[in-house]
Amino acid sequence: MSLELLQPRFGKPGHGTAVLRTPAERLKIEDVPQAALARLRRALAAEGAPAAEGDSVAGGPLGDTSHHATTDAAGLSDLGPPAVDWTQAEELAVWHLRLLGYPDARCTRGGADSGVDVLATGAVAQVKHWAQPVGQPPLRDLFGVGQAAAAKPFFYSLSGYTPQALEWANATNMALFAYSADGRVLAQNSAAHMLAPSSARPGGGNLGFFEQARADRYRRELEKLRQEINDLTALMHKRTQSRRPAVRRSAGEAASLLLSASRALDGGDVLPPADRRREDFHQVVREALKQVKRLL
């Protein structure tokens, strides 16, 4: 059996076509996610099946059986080595950091690492293979280590992050990633998306002119909304000191809305920079801030 993987010119973004050939027949499967194509290629390679040369997908020949960054339909993920346990998870983080441009990334197992699981020149990373989302304290600890070492901090979590952790990471511009047992790495905030290699972006390369313009607009809107939240939060705190019970009650309602608005921004920040779904999150925030202004 041989395998040929194709990327049709007008195919669905993030999808390709698999052509399986046997002595008796030829089977063509269309609209297959590229992550699945990569796994199929590696599985057949492990069985000794040859792969025919095809069009390139996500930065390399499809017939190549080595690891390449691959993207799903949303263009959000890299597919690396599996991470079934914590040791493999650290190896996945090493692989991903090398993909991001840190060729000397290595695990720190076996020594005093100050809470750092992966080291590289100019980068430190921590990996949490936990069943629950990572909170703010581990992020603060890693940030402090990075500051002391003049290195950029990266965080990898199996189960994502709490809203408080996302808020703190966005305020400090720390890149957050989540990963899955099959080796999929997902950017969790804007800082992580901006670091994604070109092969992990939609279309397998840099954003087009219109996509880049849309991404820049979303970034400006995000910064404006965050500043507005900060200004209204400061005003809300002043209102909580009022001697009038009605004013304090309104400030309490505003505090709840401001927290929801901040978390909505963080939720949208998980999406790629030019993803149109960001508009929905921004609209939710605008509506919440309108209510806050009426309350204050």
Side-chain angles (χ1 to χ4, degrees), residues 87-247:
T87 57
Q88 291 182 342
E90 291 183 3
E91 293 294 344
L92 175 62
V94 167
W95 172 86
H96 191 253
L97 279 179
R98 290 176 179 174
L99 191 70
L100 294 180
Y102 298 91
D104 63 341
R106 62 199 182 279
C107 292
T108 61
R109 291 195 296 270
D113 56 18
S114 302
V116 173
D117 297 311
V118 180
L119 276 174
T121 301
V124 291
Q126 191 167 23
V127 183
K128 290 299 185 187
H129 198 71
W130 291 353
Q132 67 273 9
V134 172
Q136 185 187 107
L139 272 62
R140 287 203 311 264
D141 294 343
L142 180 65
F143 184 81
V145 173
Q147 290 286 92
K152 187 173 185 63
F154 296 82
F155 215 103
Y156 296 84
S157 168
L158 175 65
S159 303
Y161 303 87
T162 65
Q164 294 82 2
L166 283 167
E167 290 172 1
W168 192 88
N170 288 333
T172 57
N173 201 36
M174 178 186 286
L176 302 183
F177 295 93
Y179 65 90
S180 58
D182 66 350
R184 194 178 300 270
V185 180
L186 302 170
Q188 296 295 289
N189 61 356
S190 288
H193 278 297
M194 296 306 292
L195 292 168
S198 60
S199 60
R201 294 176 185 151
N206 293 327
L207 295 176
F209 176 80
F210 292 107
E211 284 184 318
Q212 186 61 61
R214 188 165 65 247
D216 291 341
R217 175 166 60 86
Y218 290 159
R219 177 179 51 78
R220 290 192 297 269
E221 289 178 359
L222 179 68
E223 292 173 354
K224 181 179 178 181
L225 289 171
R226 287 200 188 281
Q227 185 59 53
E228 195 169 353
I229 288 174
N230 291 338
D231 293 343
L232 289 172
T233 298
L235 179 58
M236 178 270 296
H237 283 305
K238 290 182 180 179
R239 294 289 191 267
T240 60
Q241 307 302 315
S242 174
R243 295 181 178 180
R244 298 166 56 190
V247 173

Side-chain angles (χ1 to χ4, degrees), residues 275-289:
D275 195 306
R276 293 183 185 276
R277 290 173 292 176
R278 283 180 175 258
E279 294 178 2
D280 298 329
F281 285 91
H282 291 176
Q283 184 58 34
V284 168
V285 173
R286 292 189 196 99
E287 292 298 325
L289 295 184

Side-chain angles (χ1 to χ4, degrees), residues 3-20 26-37 40 57 62 73:
L3 171 66
E4 182 180 5
L5 304 181
L6 305 175
Q7 182 65 47
R9 184 179 298 275
F10 300 107
K12 186 186 299 184
H15 287 57
T17 298
V19 180
L20 293 171
R26 176 178 181 272
L27 179 63
K28 185 177 181 181
I29 309 173
E30 299 181 343
D31 290 334
V32 182
Q34 290 177 4
L37 289 174
L40 177 61
V57 169
L62 285 168

